[in-house]
Amino acid sequence: MSATLFGFEDSMAATRRLGVLLKVPALAAETRRFPDEECLVRVPVPARTAIFYRSLNNPDHKIIELLLAASAARDQGAQRVILIAPYLAYMRQDMAFHSGEAVSQKVVAGLIADHFDGLITVDPHLHRIKTLNEVVPGIPAISVSAAPLLATLIDARDNPIVIGPDSESRQWTEAIAAPLGLETLVATKQRLGDRQVSLTIAGADGVKGRRAILVDDMISSGRTLVEAARLLYGAGAISVEALVTHCLASADDLALLEANGIRPVVSSDSIDGPTSKVQLAPLICRALQDNGLA
Ligand code: R5P
């Protein structure tokens, strides 16, 4: 028994790509739903090191399935069970913003720490808490950034300007712009509701007559980028593109981005979809090997 990668229906393509690089088998963990929505999970073969690969968009079902999969792997003799969750959900609720709210980040990270022996993720949304290990206690918790890969997609010859739509995006904006010697602007955002934000961009007149490239860790409803694009076009940008690590947007939300002149929208393959042009497999393969997890 050696390391084996297990994907799920929604993550098999990326799991296989990683398996090729790691030179380990990539198999599908089997899941089925009962009429009452309970799930049954089966890990098809024993493995000394079982590595599960799944992004946690639509997280609630997936988290339970992963906990069951980890247990099934251990019951078959796994000595190490690793989770690769390129997109790690529930990281944004890192405090109780209103009295009585659960701190989801702490709860979900605690579940992962209790059931897995290692975690690899990509550009997690850590805001008030600086390192992933502070969030996920007691196991190696490794966070890698897709920024260098995303930066390779930028054609910098016409001197575009790189825009972060809120203060948290500064880290990704700078990581992408600095190696290319590009100028950055970072907006100030106020969230008014799930699908409503208000932005101000100090120095926005600097975009006049230039390509603007919006950079963020994720697109969820897309409203942050739509509002940013409205301001950038208003300030004279000739085009607005978007480059993000995780694209969780629905087809309708992607259509809204397009209708607001944001094109192209490019993301990593953390979540498979029409925008996922950048493969994370080399990055994740290196993280596993450098940290002795595979
Ligand atoms: C939060 O601050 C994140 O970095 C994103 O800016 C945010 O989640 C995007 O959300 P939406 O697409 O719903 O505006």
Side-chain angles (χ1 to χ4, degrees):
M1 286 194 288
S2 59
T4 301
L5 265 175
F6 296 99
F8 292 77
E9 209 181 354
D10 49 279
S11 63
M12 261 333 283
T15 306
R16 286 200 189 94
R17 288 195 284 273
L18 181 59
V20 170
L21 291 186
L22 278 173
K23 300 189 175 60
V24 302
L27 305 174
E30 296 159 22
T31 60
R32 124 173 163 74
R33 289 268 149 202
F34 293 105
D36 63 0
E37 285 295 310
E38 281 184 7
C39 60
L40 178 69
V41 175
R42 177 171 175 266
V43 174
V45 297
R48 184 180 296 278
T49 296
I51 306 173
F52 292 97
Y53 187 113
R54 193 175 215 187
S55 267
L56 295 179
N57 53 317
N58 303 319
D60 297 0
H61 279 12
K62 289 184 177 181
I63 288 171
I64 294 291
E65 288 177 359
L66 280 165
L67 300 184
L68 296 178
S71 165
R74 286 196 205 281
D75 288 347
Q76 294 186 85
Q79 291 173 6
R80 277 199 315 178
V81 183
I82 309 297
L83 174 62
I84 301 170
Y87 172 66
L88 188 59
Y90 282 115
M91 292 297 108
R92 284 173 287 180
Q93 180 78 12
D94 60 0
M95 59 181 276
F97 295 93
H98 303 100
S99 79
E101 285 179 353
V103 182
S104 320
Q105 183 191 71
K106 187 177 68 178
V107 176
V108 171
L111 278 173
I112 291 171
D114 286 348
H115 291 82
F116 293 90
D117 304 307
L119 168 69
I120 293 187
T121 188
V122 183
D123 291 330
H125 190 96
L126 302 180
H127 183 196
R128 280 155 281 266
I129 291 160
K130 293 293 166 226
T131 67
L132 190 62
N133 262 116
E134 288 172 58
V135 180
V136 188
I139 63 168
I142 293 125
S143 155
V144 291
S145 180
L149 289 175
L150 295 174
T152 63
L153 299 185
I154 295 182
D155 178 352
R157 283 173 297 184
D158 59 353
N159 194 27
I161 183 160
V162 178
I163 318 282
D166 55 29
S167 60
E168 293 109 291
S169 66
R170 182 181 294 280
Q171 54 188 302
W172 299 292
T173 306
E174 286 177 355
I176 285 177
L180 298 167
L182 297 177
E183 198 183 326
T184 60
L185 289 176
V186 176
T188 304
K189 176 165 90 178
Q190 197 190 353
R191 185 164 283 285
L192 308 171
D194 289 347
R195 290 170 183 271
Q196 207 188 350
V197 297
S198 158
L199 253 61
T200 50
I201 308 179
D205 45 348
V207 303
K208 194 170 168 44
R210 295 170 73 183
R211 273 169 66 214
I213 303 175
L214 285 162
V215 167
D216 207 355
D217 59 335
M218 72 174 93
I219 304 174
S220 181
S221 71
R223 294 326 190 263
T224 298
L225 296 192
V226 165
E227 181 58 8
R230 192 183 67 75
L231 295 175
L232 293 168
Y233 278 121
I238 54 170
S239 64
V240 179
E241 304 159 35
L243 205 49
V244 301
T245 302
H246 310 291
C247 182
L248 287 77
S250 66
D252 284 352
D253 291 330
L254 286 176
L256 188 75
L257 296 177
E258 167 83 24
N260 280 275
I262 306 174
R263 68 180 79 93
V265 177
V266 173
S267 68
S268 82
D269 65 353
S270 66
I271 296 156
D272 205 16
T275 64
S276 53
K277 306 276 192 273
V278 177
Q279 296 190 357
L280 293 174
L283 192 65
I284 292 173
C285 178
R286 208 173 321 121
L288 282 163
Q289 291 173 336
D290 290 353
N291 293 282
L293 295 178

